[in-house]
Amino acid sequence: MQRYSGFGLVKHALSHHENWERQWRNPTPKKQYDVIIVGGGGHGLATAYYLAKEFGVKNVAVIEKGWLGGGNTARNTTIVRSNYLWDEAAALYEHAMKLWEGLSQDLNYNVMFSQRGVLNLGHTLQDMRDIQRRVNANRLNGIDGEVLDAKGVQELVPIMDCSKNARYPVMGASWQPRAGVARHDAVAWGYARGADAHGVDILQQTEVTGFKIRDGQIYGVHTNRGDIEAKTVGCVAAGNSSVLAKMGGFNLPLESHPLQALVSEPIKPILDTVVMSNHVHGYISQSDKGDLVIGAGIDGYNGYGQRGSYPTVEHTLQAIVEMFPIFSRVRMNRQWGGIVDTCPDACPIISKTPVKGLYFNCGWGTGGFKATPGSGHVFAASLAKGEMHPIAEPFSMFRFHSGALIDEHGAAGVAH
Amino acid sequence: MFYIYCPYCGEHREEEEFHPKGQAHIERPKEPEACSDEEWGDYLFFRDNPRGVHHEMWVHAVGCRKFFNVTRHTVSYEILETYKMGEQPSITADSQGPSREAAAVSQKEGVRA
């Protein structure tokens, strides 16, 4: 792998930047691998990267039916935070946060991780009580957090309407200074390049059409480019997980919904943090290009169409303009949707399945991006050892029968 | 934007008058106490999530406020029929191959049904 550096940039300038090495190969599938990862999004690529780098499993294939970063990895609003209420979820997201903090160096790839802080607003007394409870829980778990009152919020974000005249007045917020944003497609590309350098085969335009299962043990997958064998298969397919599970002969408690986001025309720097509000249903940050990145809620109906409905967009923009009257004349540039696989308890599934050797990592719902490094790391550890990593253990798919749910609707909700 | 026919009002109305309420035709177990953990968990949490024809409940929230059923394609979002509570769908995944419109949308969106 060609390492990136300032010196390299100067060197390549001399040849007009025409001799950069490709970031990853485009190999033909081998007949057999030790581990197959189904799904080449951020989580899948991270899994492959850590498998090869940390757990010594180098004979790995990532199978992706489209192209890298064509799904939710590059459709989200890039927010990274770890202020979850329950111990299990906090451990998982904080594990990811710690990896985020060294990720650009680790990958030798600038993922533009910017710890500009995240505000979760409270608009009612109950919101504020929930925020206090969650921040206290966070601090007990070693996660940074503060409770701010309306004045504190106003100091951080002078352009926000924190007056009492708002329809839903801002009463305060939780503030996680270590949270922030990262460039989402750089995350996919960085992990792909790193995994490829460790010998992982990334097979794009390859679609899994079925599993090869004998005596309850998986031994390979059918694809549109022929059969590929492996005794361990990890599925990280987000919105399409239910479809894959069906091929494996079992059900998952997931529902796929369209989730939308939109960006405005680029404007001068005006918002240097991330503002989220569950109550009025909108979240916003400003990208380095200057466009406002705005996230909507999910559409309530099931859908695989990678597009959402206009009433949802309208609802979100009403909330944004209510909080930021100054943005009322900003024009929106692009709007898109992704398919999110939501779980009944708003926590993911990282789990063994009824099929031996077949593992699933799914159900991240509306907030998977922030967990990309941590999810990949614990999933890789589980695949390598055949035993679930302690952080992943509570996220078993069997919790929906045992009743040991991890109810994160408060910290996860819709706003991510 | 959906344009939904409410079988009780007998009229087409815009999506904003309605709310989706999840999978249709779910029956509560007659004797919950007699259920195994698997049966009860399945009833509470496991839902159909097909890539294709789906039967779901909607409520005409700012209209007649009645619940009714919708058969809809989850890729093209085409509404195939609406029918009253207690009735059975006339269109199902088995009766319906992927519709032409669904195939066209799938093509355009780069997704496969």
Side-chain angles (χ1 to χ4, degrees):
Chain A
M1 182 178 80
Q2 200 172 38
R3 282 190 71 79
Y4 295 152
S5 64
F7 174 71
L9 199 61
V10 173
K11 196 179 89 184
H12 280 279
L14 298 175
S15 55
H16 304 282
H17 295 291
E18 281 171 4
N19 296 316
W20 286 102
E21 191 180 78
R22 279 190 179 275
Q23 296 191 7
W24 55 84
R25 298 162 295 130
N26 196 11
T28 33
K30 287 193 269 181
K31 283 261 167 300
Q32 199 262 331
Y33 291 92
D34 292 340
V35 177
I36 290 175
I37 307 293
V38 181
H43 290 237
L45 293 166
T47 307
Y49 173 74
Y50 291 117
L51 264 176
K53 182 177 169 250
E54 281 201 18
F55 301 102
V57 186
K58 302 206 186 273
N59 189 19
V60 177
V62 177
I63 300 183
E64 165 58 46
K65 74 171 175 175
W67 66 96
L68 301 188
N72 293 349
T73 300
R75 288 167 189 265
N76 56 69
T77 49
T78 78
I79 298 166
V80 175
R81 61 186 175 90
S82 62
N83 52 355
Y84 278 67
L85 175 67
W86 298 102
D87 294 353
E88 296 87 350
L92 179 59
Y93 291 101
E94 181 60 16
H95 183 56
M97 179 64 86
K98 291 199 172 113
L99 289 167
W100 274 115
E101 285 173 330
L103 194 60
S104 289
Q105 283 71 31
D106 183 30
L107 293 176
N108 178 233
Y109 205 101
N110 187 3
V111 298
M112 295 164 74
F113 181 48
S114 158
Q115 291 176 296
R116 57 183 68 182
V118 167
L119 283 166
N120 292 88
L121 301 181
H123 299 264
T124 65
L125 269 179
Q126 188 58 46
D127 277 358
M128 291 314 297
R129 290 184 193 120
D130 290 342
I131 282 170
Q132 266 159 10
R133 179 185 178 202
R134 182 161 49 75
V135 167
N136 284 330
N138 290 159
R139 293 172 79 132
L140 287 172
N141 276 318
I143 297 167
D144 59 323
E146 281 172 52
V147 180
L148 302 180
D149 57 9
K151 200 166 146 271
V153 174
Q154 186 78 84
E155 271 167 26
L156 272 173
V157 191
I159 57 168
M160 187 154 56
D161 180 5
C162 293
S163 71
K164 290 209 161 41
N165 302 329
R167 185 169 174 193
Y168 299 103
V170 174
M171 298 182 71
S174 76
W175 167 242
Q176 188 185 13
R178 278 163 72 236
V181 292
R183 173 151 186 222
H184 47 197
D185 28 27
V187 175
W189 298 334
Y191 273 122
R193 174 168 165 266
D196 182 85
H198 284 100
V200 172
D201 279 1
I202 298 167
L203 311 172
Q204 298 179 76
Q205 306 285 324
T206 307
E207 183 171 1
V208 169
T209 51
F211 295 120
K212 300 168 80 161
I213 298 167
R214 193 192 297 132
D215 302 331
Q217 156 80 44
I218 194 155
Y219 67 99
V221 296
H222 301 290
T223 77
N224 59 344
R225 293 169 76 184
D227 291 3
I228 305 173
E229 300 206 337
K231 287 233 159 50
T232 304
V233 176
C235 292
V236 202
N240 286 301
S241 298
S242 296
V243 179
L244 282 173
K246 205 140 236 170
M247 291 178 194
F250 55 93
N251 286 321
L252 291 169
L254 301 176
E255 288 193 281
S256 297
H257 291 275
L259 177 68
Q260 299 181 79
L262 52 163
V263 294
S264 74
E265 58 191 343
I267 54 177
K268 288 193 173 175
I270 190 163
L271 184 64
D272 63 356
T273 182
V274 182
V275 179
M276 314 177 63
S277 169
N278 276 1
H279 195 83
V280 298
H281 251 204
Y283 43 111
I284 185 166
S285 63
Q286 188 174 21
S287 78
D288 292 342
K289 282 185 294 184
D291 31 17
L292 300 172
V293 183
I294 296 168
I298 57 168
D299 284 335
Y301 49 81
N302 290 26
Y304 286 85
Q306 291 192 312
R307 64 193 182 281
S309 66
Y310 284 103
T312 307
V313 172
E314 193 181 356
H315 184 75
T316 299
L317 289 177
Q318 280 169 353
I320 295 296
V321 172
E322 174 76 22
M323 289 190 285
F324 299 95
I326 193 174
F327 292 153
S328 66
R329 307 296 287 174
V330 175
R331 284 164 297 192
M332 292 299 134
N333 236 356
R334 293 181 290 118
Q335 167 259 3
W336 65 90
I339 314 167
V340 297
D341 43 337
T342 56
C343 235
D345 61 355
C347 269
I349 291 171
I350 310 174
S351 178
K352 294 185 177 183
T353 67
V355 180
K356 237 173 124 190
L358 179 61
Y359 299 77
F360 266 73
N361 181 350
C362 58
W364 289 92
T366 54
F369 176 71
K370 66 173 80 70
T372 304
S375 155
H377 189 262
V378 297
F379 198 46
S382 310
L383 292 178
K385 294 181 185 137
E387 277 308 315
M388 297 316 290
H389 186 280
I391 290 179
E393 187 84 58
F395 297 94
S396 157
M397 67 179 276
F398 303 105
R399 71 180 187 268
F400 299 96
H401 289 142
S402 72
L405 304 187
I406 308 157
D407 180 11
E408 276 295 353
H409 282 286
V414 168
H416 279 268
Chain B
M1 168 86 78
F2 290 136
Y3 201 44
I4 300 171
Y5 182 80
C6 172
Y8 293 101
C9 297
E11 277 183 36
H12 280 90
R13 294 297 182 90
E14 287 184 353
E15 178 183 342
E16 282 175 287
E17 291 193 11
F18 301 87
H19 286 304
K21 288 289 175 182
Q23 186 186 330
H25 306 299
I26 295 173
E27 266 183 52
R28 184 182 163 89
K30 288 216 168 53
E31 287 182 58
E33 300 295 325
C35 282
S36 66
D37 287 350
E38 277 69 30
E39 286 164 347
W40 188 245
D42 284 352
Y43 162 67
L44 283 181
F45 300 121
F46 286 70
R47 298 289 176 263
D48 291 342
N49 191 22
R51 204 185 165 100
V53 175
H54 187 232
H55 307 288
E56 55 200 14
M57 277 193 303
W58 285 68
V59 60
H60 196 175
V62 295
C64 63
R65 298 172 67 189
K66 288 200 171 88
F67 281 74
F68 61 96
N69 297 311
V70 173
T71 305
R72 194 175 55 86
H73 197 285
T74 59
V75 179
S76 71
Y77 296 176
E78 183 186 2
I79 292 173
L80 303 167
E81 63 173 338
T82 60
Y83 52 101
K84 292 178 181 172
M85 296 305 288
E87 293 178 357
Q88 289 301 311
S90 63
I91 299 169
T92 61
D94 299 329
S95 76
Q96 174 98 347
S99 74
R100 240 178 316 165
E101 196 186 328
V105 172
S106 307
Q107 188 101 35
K108 203 174 117 213
E109 302 277 327
V111 292
R112 263 161 267 178

